Amino acid sequence: MARKPGSSPSAIKNRAARTAAALAPAGQAPSAAAAAPKKPFNPVQFIREVRAEARKITWTTRKETWITSVMVFIMVIVASVFFFGVDWILGTLANLLLKFAAG
């Protein structure tokens, strides 16, 4: 199967280098554009941002939590009955096959 033109690793690297050079600000090397100056850590600003994000959280009510818990419990029961049934059927079939092969 023939390769598409320009899909060789060297062609891909050349395109990536040209793209990085085109996106870099004038007079700077492409690697300088990727390394932005790092801001100093401000613990007070961090706490403010955490509190602001925590205010946006929509907490569930007691009723919603109860309903969700009951639904999870029901689904666990349904899944366990299903897998018990499938396991029993497959085990029975395996025993019949082994009895048929041995006898």
Side-chain angles (χ1 to χ4, degrees):
M1 187 169 175
R3 284 186 162 193
K4 294 181 183 177
S7 65
S8 69
S10 60
I12 293 171
K13 287 179 186 176
N14 289 339
R15 278 198 310 273
R18 284 195 310 264
T19 304
L23 293 176
Q28 287 187 352
S31 62
K38 188 174 179 182
K39 294 180 185 177
F41 178 71
N42 184 350
V44 175
Q45 181 65 27
F46 176 75
I47 297 295
R48 284 188 195 135
E49 291 174 5
V50 168
R51 290 186 66 200
E53 290 297 322
R55 286 188 196 109
K56 296 177 186 177
I57 297 172
T58 305
W59 297 101
T60 59
T61 63
R62 186 176 296 265
K63 182 179 178 182
E64 290 171 333
T65 304
W66 174 252
I67 290 171
T68 305
S69 299
V70 169
M71 290 302 295
V72 167
F73 183 71
I74 291 170
M75 290 306 296
V76 166
I77 297 297
V78 169
S80 61
V81 168
F82 171 77
F83 285 117
F84 175 79
V86 169
D87 182 54
W88 182 77
I89 291 169
L90 291 176
T92 303
L93 290 174
N95 282 334
L96 286 175
L97 183 64
L98 290 173
K99 285 180 185 178
F100 179 72

